[in-house]
Amino acid sequence: MTDAPIGVFDSGVGGLTVARAIIDQLPNESVLYVGDTAHSPYGPKPLAEVREYALAVMDDLVAQGVKLLVIACNTASAAMFRDARERFTHGAGIPVVEVVLPAVRTAARRTRTKRIGVIGTEGTVRSNAYADAFVADPEVTVVQAACPRFVDFVEAGITTGPELFAVAEEYLAPLKAADVDTVLLGCTHYPLLSGAIRWVMGPDVALVSCADETAADVYRQLVEHDLLRTAGTAPTYRFEATGESEAAFLRLARRFLGPEVAAVDLVQTGAIPLPVPGRSTNDQTTDEESR
């Protein structure tokens, strides 16, 4: 069981920042990632619909033999974390880690003024998952802002420039007006925009990445449940998706994970005929040349 992979799930590619953080913090662990790109984005969808999609993907991860589940999607965490814990932890003995509580704990420790900003998708903000998680400290004031276009910028590879700064100024205006001293990045895409967000908010505002904090929680869960991988062989990284665009998935996977991840086993799954190792395609060549 300890040699089994960590199962990481997201609505699309944003959760690859969580996978990246897990690989960095736990370099001996294998990772099996599933992006539900057929139903992405989750943000605008009703939470009941998100719950249905998310549980189905996690059922598949369990069937593939993962030892721990990571809900690397803020909207899915808000929609079904309790259901997932009941089904997989209590029902099957598989620990489940999500992205909301680890980031909330860190933000609560870092704030000096007790004024915290939370940015996320429309679904995450609408769910009030982060605001509700801060109720344990009645002195904390939470100011939320939905930043839907941030995802578009990240997936287009735009992390700087006048257009992004103008949108960021608009989205972050309520947080600046509230004089928050900590901003929680409540979407797994947003760490790639840390530079722009920090530029708009100012250098004295702390940014909390849900990706990094989730990876730290994965580390703790593996230690507590005696699930750390002990094999001396190299870990495996497998990435699956349910949508239709092979080229877009591969391009974004490289952007999120970085070129230093050399061992990636792309397997055929769902509706995407992902290339097998050793096969080259024009799309892959184009993607590499455009980086």
Side-chain angles (χ1 to χ4, degrees):
M1 183 64 175
T2 58
D3 290 343
I6 296 167
V8 182
F9 154 70
D10 183 42
S11 60
V13 297
L16 290 169
T17 58
V18 177
R20 171 76 268 176
I22 291 171
I23 291 168
D24 287 344
Q25 294 186 33
L26 292 154
N28 195 45
E29 295 293 336
S30 296
V31 172
L32 171 57
Y33 180 95
V34 176
D36 189 17
T37 50
H39 302 116
S40 183
Y42 280 2
K45 291 181 170 60
L47 292 182
E49 191 174 332
V50 170
R51 177 185 178 277
E52 178 184 352
Y53 294 145
L55 288 173
V57 173
M58 294 175 76
D59 280 338
D60 182 66
L61 280 167
V62 170
Q64 294 192 62
V66 300
K67 63 182 177 182
L68 181 144
L69 287 161
V70 181
I71 309 172
C73 173
N74 286 268
T75 305
S77 293
M80 44 70 75
F81 173 54
R82 292 179 181 175
D83 299 288
R85 189 169 53 182
E86 182 67 28
R87 179 180 297 193
F88 303 115
T89 302
H90 300 323
I94 300 173
V96 179
V97 173
E98 49 83 51
V99 293
V100 174
L101 290 178
V104 165
R105 289 193 294 265
T106 300
R109 288 196 305 268
R110 290 189 184 178
T111 182
R112 305 176 307 278
T113 65
K114 298 290 188 177
R115 291 191 293 274
I116 298 174
V118 174
I119 58 176
T121 66
E122 294 170 345
T124 297
V125 170
R126 188 171 60 246
S127 74
N128 280 320
Y130 280 100
D132 291 345
F134 280 108
V135 296
D137 188 345
E139 295 182 0
V140 169
T141 297
V142 178
V143 180
Q144 300 188 94
C147 306
R149 289 193 63 196
F150 277 0
V151 171
D152 298 331
F153 281 111
V154 169
E155 296 197 357
I158 301 170
T159 58
T160 189
E163 184 182 4
L164 172 59
F165 290 144
V167 171
E169 288 280 4
E170 178 184 348
Y171 284 157
L172 300 173
L175 279 63
K176 294 176 70 175
D179 198 25
V180 302
D181 76 337
T182 303
V183 175
L184 196 159
L185 309 182
C187 174
T188 50
H189 282 71
Y190 295 177
L192 278 72
L193 298 180
S194 294
I197 294 168
R198 192 178 302 280
W199 174 259
V200 172
M201 293 302 301
D204 295 330
V205 174
L207 303 186
V208 175
S209 164
C210 61
D212 290 339
E213 302 310 322
T214 300
D217 210 37
V218 168
Y219 193 112
R220 286 191 291 269
Q221 290 288 330
L222 292 179
V223 172
E224 289 177 6
H225 291 88
D226 196 25
L227 289 173
L228 285 171
R229 185 172 180 268
T230 57
T233 55
T236 61
Y237 308 124
R238 294 173 51 204
F239 299 90
E240 304 180 358
T242 61
E244 298 178 352
S245 177
E246 171 189 328
F249 180 80
L250 290 173
R251 181 179 67 251
L252 289 168
R254 295 189 185 104
R255 181 174 298 149
F256 277 73
L257 289 169
E260 65 271 30
V261 181
V264 176
D265 179 22
L266 294 173
V267 298
Q268 188 168 332
T269 181
I272 298 184
L274 293 176
V276 297
R279 192 189 100 187
S280 61
T281 67
N282 291 334
D283 286 332
Q284 286 176 273
T285 302
T286 301
D287 288 338
E288 286 296 330
E289 291 174 348
S290 65
R291 284 179 59 105

